[in-house]
Amino acid sequence: GARVRAFDPVAHEEARRLYGDRADLTICEHADTALDGADVLAVVTEWIEFRSPDFREIKQKLKFPTIFDGRNI
């Protein structure tokens, strides 16, 4: 029942190809737009650009400021 807004700086085109158009998945062009309207943030990739997040911005954008870090970054 979740709706996912996802961003990956490398795999976004491949994700679109694999998953197609779905009502429960939005592939975003930028990391900050993936946060728009999100309840929480789940980090599931270790790209270097995610290693120094702007926690203030993340907190402001999330409905429930919570981060699940699946990559220990």
Side-chain angles (χ1 to χ4, degrees):
R3 290 187 327 258
V4 175
R5 296 178 58 79
F7 170 75
D8 187 295
V10 176
H12 62 275
E13 291 301 323
E14 182 66 5
R16 279 194 186 99
R17 186 186 72 74
L18 287 173
Y19 297 107
D21 291 330
R22 298 174 52 148
D24 61 347
L25 175 63
T26 302
I27 306 293
C28 300
E29 295 291 325
H30 303 284
D32 61 330
T33 58
L35 293 173
D36 291 340
D39 291 332
V40 299
L41 169 62
V43 179
V44 293
T45 186
E46 65 263 359
W47 293 112
I48 197 161
E49 65 189 77
F50 298 119
R51 292 190 182 173
S52 297
D54 182 344
F55 290 111
R56 189 168 291 143
E57 178 185 8
I58 292 169
K59 184 178 181 180
Q60 289 174 347
K61 287 193 169 209
L62 294 176
K63 290 179 186 175
F64 305 98
T66 304
I67 299 173
F68 298 97
D69 181 1
R71 295 304 215 176
N72 197 30
I73 60 170

